[in-house]
Amino acid sequence: MAAERIQVPKGMRDILPEEVFKWYHVEAVIRKLAADFGYQEIRTPIAENTELFVRGVGDTTDIVQKEMFSLQDAGGRSLTLRPEGTSPVVRAMLENGLHAGAMPLKLYYNSYRCYRAEKPQAGRQREFHQFGIELFGADRPSADAEVILVGYETFRRFGLAGRLLLKLNSIGCPTCRAEYRRALLGYLEGHRAELCGTCQSRMDKNPMRIFDCKSEICAGIAAGAPLIIHYLCGDCRTHFETLQEILRVMEIPFEIDPTIVRGLDYYRRTVFEFISDDIGAQSAVCGGGRYDGLVEELGGDPLPGIGFGLGIERLLMSLEAAGYQFPKPEPVGIYIGSADTEPATEALTTRLVTELRRAGLSAEQDIVGRSVKAQMKYAGKLGVRYAAIIGGNEVASGKVAVRDMASGQSCEVELQELVNYFVGA
Ligand code: HAM
């Protein structure tokens, strides 16, 4: 009896050869775009010390309270698979002294695997990939505008700009939040008994978390709550208005959505999301904002920061929905078959495909001892441009018939000249 099969973990999926070329394409467009805007790539470990996310993302967030994939290493330390990229990038910046170099510092990460133990559904997985940018050392609204523009430009380069809506909000700074907090707590106090257990327990520490609670009752209560945007201090208001002005001048359409607070604790002032109508309930393809207190929170000197994370799976879903034409990968170019399984023939075909590959061409050969007919069928399936079969006759005559698979025409080529023939083809 066959052994029981083991399946991929819940909320995770395989990326198969038939779709990998789409990822390559998306990653290549992103790499070019990031370079055009002067961002440098950074790669950090997939796991961090758990404390980084507890402090960075915040201990009252759903991510830290419910969604971390944590494990113990052999020394008993608690590690966590990164649920997001911002805290690791801040840690790496401080640890490697990047903050001592030229400012502003512009970093990005491409296809970062992230892990959150959420309830899986379309567009929401437990393992997913993010493209993200982090811009440090710039506190002016023009920096917010640039970061938003990178997001906008990403979608524009994929022909999606018109299909996504930019939603913008400001959630103020610690100064304006103090007054807002009192107002929000006053409102929530009247509903305390109706709130879910999680919201009740985190209400005193961080009442704004009510806005990202997934319970329907809490969402209903949140809908009537006072909004931070009405409590902004003068500086935050000016910052937000200037940002809007820049976006208007740059003709980047946006909508103010006072309910966007984001599910991570580090944000201050500007927060934003790019929303798609094409991909179902999990509609935020990109989300980000300013996090001016985070570097300090993680042990550095005060340094403003702003960035975004863009979900690659959700981007791919948006592209599929828009009928995006991905450039197809090049098929294998040349098939060198064997007419028999004589060691001399097999050695010659191996030598030929090796020379072709070393010359930078893609080539395949028979390694399973199929009949010539079956080999030609296989070559057809591979979609090769040319096929040639080597056997005793070819070895004796020093010539081989090369078949152009598209036209069906054959021509004779000296075996010694075969590599040059294909290099020039
Ligand atoms: P986030 O909004 O939690 O922000 O995630 C950013 C993006 O990652 C989302 O808009 C979505 O496309 C994707 N994403 C998040 N969770 C999932 C999931 N479970 N399955 C599939 N895709 C998902 C952050 O992570 C911040 N670090 C962004 C940031 C960078 N803010 C400033 N700098």
Side-chain angles (χ1 to χ4, degrees):
M1 206 177 78
E4 194 189 332
R5 289 198 193 161
I6 297 167
Q7 306 208 317
V8 73
K10 183 175 174 184
M12 305 194 185
R13 53 183 291 267
D14 304 304
I15 301 169
L16 301 176
E18 70 213 30
E19 42 184 348
V20 144
F21 75 95
K22 298 180 182 174
W23 287 74
Y24 278 177
H25 173 67
V26 164
E27 288 162 8
V29 171
I30 285 172
R31 193 167 294 127
K32 172 78 173 75
L33 168 104
D36 290 349
F37 278 85
Y39 284 78
Q40 291 179 295
E41 186 176 350
I42 185 163
R43 300 184 186 195
T44 62
I46 206 148
E48 295 280 352
N49 287 308
T50 299
E51 180 63 16
L52 177 72
F53 301 113
V54 175
R55 262 207 271 158
V57 174
D59 57 359
T60 58
T61 58
D62 276 358
I63 292 181
V64 168
Q65 289 192 336
K66 309 179 188 167
E67 297 168 0
M68 290 201 296
F69 278 96
S70 299
L71 57 120
Q72 263 197 2
D73 75 1
R77 286 169 286 262
S78 175
L79 303 184
T80 293
L81 300 182
R82 65 176 169 231
E84 60 108 36
T86 311
S87 320
V89 167
V90 171
R91 182 210 42 78
M93 174 187 73
L94 293 173
E95 196 162 337
N96 297 288
L98 304 183
H99 58 302
M103 282 288 158
L105 174 66
K106 298 162 109 180
L107 300 171
Y108 83 100
Y109 37 95
N110 205 350
S111 262
Y112 244 30
R113 281 171 197 267
C114 297
Y115 298 84
R116 294 183 194 173
E118 296 187 86
K119 212 168 159 193
Q121 63 178 82
R124 191 204 277 157
Q125 294 167 214
R126 293 187 163 189
E127 182 190 63
F128 59 98
H129 298 72
Q130 276 189 358
F131 156 47
I133 68 167
E134 311 295 351
L135 167 58
F136 298 97
D139 61 1
R140 290 164 49 74
S142 49
D144 306 37
E146 179 186 291
V147 166
I148 290 173
L149 183 62
V150 178
Y152 182 80
E153 187 64 17
T154 311
F155 298 121
R156 204 192 64 79
R157 290 198 186 183
F158 286 108
L160 290 178
R163 298 177 79 107
L164 284 130
L165 177 62
L166 167 62
K167 290 193 173 184
L168 203 61
N169 191 22
S170 173
I171 56 169
C173 65
T175 310
C176 22
R177 260 194 238 158
E179 197 196 332
Y180 174 63
R181 195 187 140 83
R182 275 192 293 278
L184 182 58
L185 270 177
Y187 170 81
L188 291 178
E189 225 25 274
H191 297 275
R192 192 182 268 272
E194 302 154 58
L195 293 172
C196 75
T198 312
C199 282
Q200 285 192 18
S201 66
R202 63 191 181 185
M203 183 171 130
D204 296 306
K205 196 154 180 217
N206 191 351
M208 273 168 86
R209 288 276 74 94
I210 175 94
F211 290 103
D212 38 61
C213 181
K214 283 154 194 143
S215 127
E216 260 180 43
I217 295 176
C218 295
I221 295 170
L227 295 165
I228 177 81
I229 194 134
H230 300 127
Y231 290 80
L232 296 184
C233 65
D235 285 350
C236 287
R237 192 180 306 282
T238 308
H239 185 97
F240 194 41
E241 278 165 8
T242 311
L243 168 63
Q244 291 174 55
E245 184 58 26
I246 299 173
L247 293 177
R248 271 192 289 270
V249 172
M250 284 167 46
E251 297 182 352
I252 297 182
F254 64 89
E255 194 179 285
I256 306 286
D257 183 344
T259 66
I260 291 186
V261 294
R262 315 271 304 125
L264 305 96
D265 269 356
Y266 46 62
Y267 291 111
R268 284 189 193 173
R269 293 193 162 169
T270 311
V271 286
F272 63 90
E273 288 179 352
F274 284 91
I275 305 291
S276 165
D277 264 350
D278 295 333
I279 60 170
Q282 298 307 309
S283 56
V285 184
C286 172
R290 182 166 276 289
Y291 48 84
D292 291 349
L294 181 61
V295 176
E296 229 177 320
E297 184 70 40
L298 295 178
D301 290 334
L303 183 67
I306 178 163
F308 67 67
L310 187 154
I312 304 283
E313 284 83 357
R314 293 187 193 171
L315 172 62
L316 284 167
M317 286 167 77
S318 310
L319 289 171
E320 298 288 356
Y324 186 81
Q325 292 297 313
F326 290 90
K328 286 264 180 297
E330 285 282 309
V332 173
I334 303 152
Y335 186 83
I336 307 288
S338 311
D340 53 60
T341 50
E342 290 302 316
T345 313
E346 294 196 329
L348 180 57
T349 56
T350 305
R351 205 188 79 205
L352 288 170
V353 288
T354 305
E355 282 175 11
L356 289 167
R357 289 164 179 167
R358 286 182 181 164
L361 301 169
S362 65
E364 268 291 0
Q365 69 182 127
D366 177 56
I367 44 172
V368 286
R370 283 196 180 109
S371 69
V372 169
K373 196 170 158 212
Q375 287 180 57
M376 291 307 282
K377 204 168 152 199
Y378 177 65
K381 274 194 192 150
L382 289 179
V384 299
R385 253 187 91 188
Y386 299 102
I389 303 287
I390 308 279
N393 290 345
E394 285 72 17
V395 174
S397 66
K399 289 185 182 147
V400 63
V402 172
R403 184 181 165 92
D404 181 323
M405 299 292 273
S407 68
Q409 308 237 308
S410 292
C411 71
E412 254 198 1
V413 181
E414 299 269 337
L415 267 180
Q416 284 205 332
E417 280 305 305
L418 197 62
V419 173
N420 286 340
Y421 173 81
F422 285 125
V423 169

